[in-house]
């Protein structure tokens, strides 16, 4: 089952400076993880998850992303790795 969440929002925090574009925020949940025993709290991405992370990088790679933030978990780090992160 695919569980990746993708949401994009464009907004201006307060009054934007004249000539400044609004901020675009793209929120992505980690790609599919491997099915592992419950005691493994930090699984790797599954092959489908790796493919999804590569597709996300293809979709957004040329969009001018200024920063990528990810938690310390392997699945989130592996999801952003395709972006060069």
């Amino acid at each position: 089952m695919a569980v990746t969440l993708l949401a994009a929002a464009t907004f201006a925090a307060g009054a934007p400076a004249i000539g400044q574009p609004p901020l675009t925020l793209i929120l992505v949940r980690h790609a599919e993880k491997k099915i592992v025993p419950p005691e493994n709290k930090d699984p790797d991405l599954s092959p489908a998850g790796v493919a999804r992370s590569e597709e996300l990088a293809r979709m957004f790679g040329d969009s001018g992303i200024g920063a990528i933030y990810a938690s310390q978990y392997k699945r989130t780090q592996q999801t952003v790795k395709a972006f060069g992160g």
Side-chain angles (χ1 to χ4, degrees):
M1 172 167 53
V3 293
T4 300
L5 168 69
L6 176 62
T10 301
F11 59 91
I18 296 174
Q20 292 294 317
L23 173 68
T24 298
L25 175 67
I26 301 167
L27 175 65
V28 177
R29 190 174 190 276
H30 65 78
E32 292 83 359
K33 61 185 177 181
K34 288 183 178 177
I35 304 300
V36 297
E39 59 272 5
N40 181 347
K41 302 296 185 196
D42 195 14
D44 290 297
L45 290 181
S46 68
V50 172
R52 183 176 303 275
S53 69
E54 291 168 353
E55 179 64 11
L56 289 167
R58 186 196 64 74
M59 290 171 52
F60 294 107
D62 294 331
S63 65
I65 294 173
I68 296 176
Y69 301 95
S71 71
Q72 74 278 9
Y73 296 105
K74 288 192 278 186
R75 59 192 174 268
T76 57
Q77 294 294 318
Q78 293 167 355
T79 299
V80 301
K81 184 178 180 183
F83 287 87

